[in-house]
């Protein structure tokens, strides 16, 4: 009865009407050009329809026969049945979107019948900006710089055992894209009376984009894994610290200043941007560290990711407010930030709960909070005070580099919006659970 003709799948059910005198049936299946594919005896008795499922037919043309047997001996062979099966590999993927001009962030969409896994590869010029295996039919690329991109999708399944590639797809990121996960800090001057320093302050910056959150452990890992993958050959990055984090949606921490710069460059390369930082003998800073941290230079015109200067950080942290102690006003409690509350933190600390934040202290050791757990400032920046301190770029001195904000373990006065004015300096080799990073982009938007 079945199968017969063209078959859609590779797991097939053979069916026939039984002979009332037969108790066993020899089912023989042959593949054209390959000989016997199946030869087995199957027990059935009585009348009705018999069914035998055979799985994993390869692509090809098949013929099958039945030979019944019963207590009175063998019956005659059946006539032949014939059918064909398609290639078990996935159908060539179809690229759905994007096509033509688009803006960042970008989500790739594609489809393929019979696929179990997809390999998605994206290039800009001669640089691979994305290459991953996934079981999803969409991939979020995040922020990409302006330019022309090419992409391909390979489909794979276990039955076919090989990758079937799509045709090439092309898209263009136009100027003026919105940078995923970042907010625009409008250029200008913020000046007023500083309550902490009892004097005037004035900070002037050009417009730039800044990460909405501190770099999370999840984002750090995506870039870190890409940068350290052995298929990058001589362009492989090395880091002194892998980075730690309480959870994927918590800030990354335990990264030193050199790690932060390399990670910025890797994130830039991965997204097709121009890396910012160079070191002696390395036009793109990827490995090791120089004898002195001051030997590392930055390209002011590059469109890649970089650490903010202290002026940029202070201007962004104020969120448009003038002459305030914190990014939200003149007082602080545990409802505003993850920090250590104590009378020593200053008269502005009015939190009814003291010590480490009660929500982020399990009695064994306090810890970071998920990014975005507290309200944003006027520019849409979260955790710009508290949670983790963050590495900055300039200025520094011969021995140290600056950090801004304050961590979950700091008193309130360390979280002052104008605190970056104090130039808190740290050894660039420092890597601990209080210190993370946040990046900015100053050109190419």
């Amino acid at each position: 009865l079945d199968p017969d003709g063209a078959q859609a799948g590779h797991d097939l059910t053979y069916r026939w009407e039984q002979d009332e005198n037969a108790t066993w049936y020899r089912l023989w299946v042959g593949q054209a050009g390959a000989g016997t594919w199946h030869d087995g005896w199957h027990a059935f008795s009585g009348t009705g329809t018999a069914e035998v499922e055979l799985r994993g037919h390869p692509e090809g043309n098949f013929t099958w026969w039945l030979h019944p047997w019963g207590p009175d001996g063998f019956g005659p062979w059946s006539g032949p049945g014939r059918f064909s099966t398609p290639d078990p590999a996935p159908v060539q993927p179809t690229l759905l979107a994007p096509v033509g001009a688009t803006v960042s962030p970008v989500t790739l969409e594609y489809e393929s019948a019979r696929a179990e896994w997809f390999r998605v590869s994206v290039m800009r010029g001669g640089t691979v900006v994305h290459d991953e295996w996934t079981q999803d039919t969409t991939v979020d690329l995040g922020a990409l710089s302006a330019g022309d991109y090419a992409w391909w999708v390979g489909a794979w399944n276990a039955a076919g055992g090989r990758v079937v590639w799509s045709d090439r797809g092309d898209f263009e990121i136009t100027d003026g894209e919105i940078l995923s996960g970042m907010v625009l800090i409008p250029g200008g001057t913020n000046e007023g009376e500083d309550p902490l320093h009892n004097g005037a302050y004035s900070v002037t910056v050009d417009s730039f984009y800044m990460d909405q959150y501190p770099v999370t452990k999840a984002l750090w890992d995506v870039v870190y894994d890409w940068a350290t993958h052995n298929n990058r050959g001589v362009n492989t990055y090395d880091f002194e610290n892998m980075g730690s984090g309480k959870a994927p949606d918590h800030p990354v921490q335990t990264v030193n200043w050199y790690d932060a710069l390399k990670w910025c460059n890797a994130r830039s390369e991965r997204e097709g941007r121009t890396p910012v930082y160079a070191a002696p003998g390395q036009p793109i800073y990827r490995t090791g560290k120089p004898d002195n941290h001051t030997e590392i230079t930055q390209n002011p015109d590059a469109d890649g990711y970089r650490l903010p200067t202290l002026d940029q950080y202070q201007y962004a942290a104020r969120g448009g407010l003038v002459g305030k102690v914190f990014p939200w006003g003149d007082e602080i409690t545990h409802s505003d930030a993850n920090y250590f509350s104590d009378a020593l933190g200053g008269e502005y600390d009015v939190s009814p709960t003291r010590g480490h934040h009660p929500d982020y202290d399990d009695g064994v050791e306090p810890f970071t909070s998920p990014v975005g757990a507290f309200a944003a400032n006027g520019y849409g920046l979260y955790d710009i005070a508290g949670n983790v301190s963050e590495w900055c770029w300039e200025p520094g001195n011969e021995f140290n580099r600056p950090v801004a904000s304050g961590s979950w373990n700091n008193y309130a006065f360390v979280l002052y919006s104008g605190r970056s004015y104090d130039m808190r300096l740290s050894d660039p080799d420092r890597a601990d659970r209080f210190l993370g990073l946040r990046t900015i982009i100053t050109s190419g938007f």
Side-chain angles (χ1 to χ4, degrees):
L1 302 177
D2 288 319
D4 187 29
Q7 301 296 310
H10 301 273
D11 300 332
L12 305 178
T13 300
Y14 293 78
R15 301 170 61 246
W16 63 89
E17 296 295 342
Q18 298 181 73
D19 183 324
E20 62 180 2
N21 297 313
T23 55
W24 286 86
Y25 295 86
R26 180 182 179 184
L27 171 60
W28 186 92
V29 184
Q31 183 184 6
T36 299
W37 185 80
H38 174 84
D39 188 4
W41 286 91
H42 304 273
F44 293 94
S45 60
T47 59
T49 301
E51 296 184 353
V52 171
E53 182 181 25
L54 299 180
R55 303 176 65 84
H57 293 70
E59 176 188 16
N61 298 314
F62 292 83
T63 304
W64 65 294
W65 288 267
L66 286 167
H67 195 189
W69 180 90
D72 296 329
F74 287 100
W77 282 88
S78 69
R82 294 182 174 86
F83 63 93
S84 60
T85 56
D87 184 349
V91 173
Q92 183 183 31
T94 299
L95 307 184
L96 302 178
V99 176
T102 186
V103 295
S104 183
V106 171
T107 298
L108 303 180
E109 299 180 28
Y110 42 86
E111 63 183 8
S112 171
R114 299 197 300 272
E116 297 171 359
W117 284 89
F118 297 96
R119 181 178 179 180
V120 182
S121 182
V122 184
M123 297 187 70
R124 183 189 183 199
T127 302
V128 176
V129 298
H130 187 89
D131 190 16
E132 72 165 301
W133 284 93
T134 178
Q135 291 183 293
D136 297 328
T137 55
T138 62
V139 165
D140 183 9
L141 296 184
L144 295 176
S145 58
D148 296 320
Y149 293 80
W151 64 298
W152 298 261
V153 173
W156 179 91
N157 66 19
R162 71 180 192 277
V163 177
V164 179
W165 285 96
S166 69
D167 294 329
R168 168 175 167 160
D170 294 278
F171 62 91
E172 175 191 6
I173 300 295
T174 58
D175 288 335
E177 72 266 36
I178 300 172
L179 300 178
S180 177
M182 306 189 90
V183 295
L184 178 65
I185 309 301
T189 298
N190 188 314
E191 58 185 359
E193 293 297 319
D194 192 312
L196 175 62
H197 297 94
N198 297 317
Y201 74 90
S202 180
V203 182
T204 300
V205 301
D206 294 326
S207 296
F208 60 94
Y209 274 92
M210 191 175 214
D211 287 330
Q212 191 173 22
Y213 307 106
V215 172
T216 62
K217 183 59 165 59
L219 178 57
W220 173 275
D221 286 346
V222 168
V223 176
Y224 179 93
D225 292 345
W226 178 88
T228 57
H229 197 285
N230 57 18
N231 69 2
R232 290 182 51 78
V234 296
N235 294 327
T236 301
Y237 283 76
D238 72 50
F239 294 83
E240 297 191 30
N241 303 279
M242 294 180 60
S244 299
K246 178 70 173 177
D249 61 345
H250 284 234
V252 68
Q253 29 92 348
T254 316
V255 294
N256 67 25
W257 186 75
Y258 302 103
D259 296 325
L261 300 190
K262 294 172 190 174
W263 189 87
C264 286
N265 275 357
R267 186 180 180 186
S268 299
E269 282 199 89
R270 182 176 179 270
E271 296 182 12
R273 294 181 172 274
T274 302
V276 169
Y277 300 109
Q282 298 185 65
I284 300 176
Y285 179 41
R286 297 190 180 102
T287 64
K289 62 181 181 181
D291 293 336
N292 191 291
H293 65 90
T294 60
E295 297 180 72
I296 298 176
T297 59
Q298 66 168 342
N299 178 355
D301 300 320
D303 67 351
Y305 294 92
R306 67 183 74 218
L307 298 181
T309 66
L310 287 173
D311 278 352
Q312 288 167 329
Y313 199 99
Q314 180 186 170
Y315 182 92
R318 290 188 179 277
L321 296 181
V322 174
K324 296 298 182 181
V325 180
F326 301 104
W328 50 82
D330 286 332
E331 293 182 338
I332 185 171
T333 72
H334 275 148
S335 64
D336 300 308
N338 184 7
Y339 73 106
F340 186 88
S341 176
D342 190 276
L344 294 176
E347 61 184 302
Y348 305 102
D349 186 351
V350 296
S351 181
T353 53
R354 293 299 195 179
H356 291 105
H357 199 295
D359 292 345
Y360 308 110
D361 185 355
D362 58 8
V364 178
E365 183 179 48
F367 48 88
T368 56
S369 48
V371 300
F374 302 92
N377 75 353
Y379 289 149
L381 298 170
Y382 292 87
D383 300 304
I384 200 70
N387 214 0
V388 289
S389 297
E390 299 173 11
W391 283 112
C392 291
W393 169 249
E394 289 282 358
N397 61 31
E398 182 180 356
F399 306 104
N400 297 296
R401 282 287 171 171
V403 297
S405 181
S407 78
W408 53 267
N409 199 46
N410 285 129
Y411 291 120
F413 65 80
V414 181
L415 277 62
Y416 290 162
S417 294
R419 184 62 183 179
S420 60
Y421 188 81
D422 281 349
M423 290 178 55
R424 293 174 58 221
L425 298 177
S426 287
D427 184 336
D429 286 308
R430 173 190 170 191
D432 56 40
R433 63 188 187 279
F434 314 117
L435 187 53
L437 73 152
R438 185 189 305 251
T439 69
I440 66 170
I441 286 178
T442 60
S443 63
F445 56 85

